[in-house]
Amino acid sequence: MRLCCLAVWKKLFSCLARHVFFRKGHMGKYAVGDLHQMQSLPLSAKIQMTERRIREWVEYYGTDGTYLGFSGGKDSTILLDISRKIFPGLPAVFVDTGLEYEEIRDFVSRQENVEVIRPKMDFRQVIQKYGYPFIGKEVAGCVHGACRYMRKLMEQGGSGKRHYSELQLYGRPCGDRPQGG
């Protein structure tokens, strides 16, 4: 499979730069200021850098400890192609959450050595048990604080008495929040 589109490579390289090049510790060898310089490199240089990073990663973690997260999208398809040219037996993992398009599932099923895994709970079950996921911890913290405030109001018999069991903020019930989650 040969997918060569400069825009795709630029996007891929940006993703790799964010997720691989700028990690702390062993793999983080570049500064953020180097990103623009690396993006201006010719396509062949970007491919060589990507191949080198893949080799370093697999050499560090070993072939038995390395899997490629595969979404079936254009960026991960290119990364899968490059990785498999270097390490033909490198396994990939596709997480089928039940929210993917049927065309993506079909495409993934035609790829070799891709393990499809499914979560124990589907998305609807997660929503019913934990509520709708938030944008980030800051928003979740605000909602949690609002829920605590509402609980205290209800405990004190405050004004605006509602059926507390029906009270929800952003689709999350304020009562009976699972602990540790």
Side-chain angles (χ1 to χ4, degrees), residues 38-130:
M38 289 186 286
Q39 286 178 330
S40 68
L41 293 171
L43 180 60
S44 60
K46 292 176 184 179
I47 294 170
Q48 288 175 350
M49 289 179 73
T50 302
E51 290 170 342
R52 182 176 53 109
R53 278 304 194 185
I54 292 167
R55 281 189 191 93
E56 287 176 358
W57 188 270
V58 174
E59 287 170 8
Y60 183 78
Y61 290 101
T63 54
D64 61 336
T66 305
Y67 286 81
L68 179 70
F70 181 61
S71 70
K74 63 184 183 323
D75 296 338
S76 71
T77 299
I78 291 170
L79 192 56
L80 180 67
D81 183 58
I82 294 171
S83 300
R84 294 270 174 89
K85 286 179 180 172
I86 303 167
F87 299 100
L90 186 69
V93 176
F94 173 77
V95 180
D96 184 358
T97 64
L99 300 176
E100 291 74 24
Y101 291 111
E102 190 62 35
E103 295 85 357
I104 293 290
R105 284 193 200 106
D106 292 342
F107 176 71
V108 168
S109 70
R110 292 191 303 266
Q111 307 307 307
E112 292 182 21
N113 198 15
V114 176
E115 181 180 349
V116 177
I117 59 175
R118 291 174 180 82
K120 292 179 182 177
M121 295 171 62
D122 67 25
F123 192 69
R124 169 173 260 157
Q125 292 169 324
V126 170
I127 297 298
Q128 288 173 341
K129 183 171 182 177
Y130 299 105

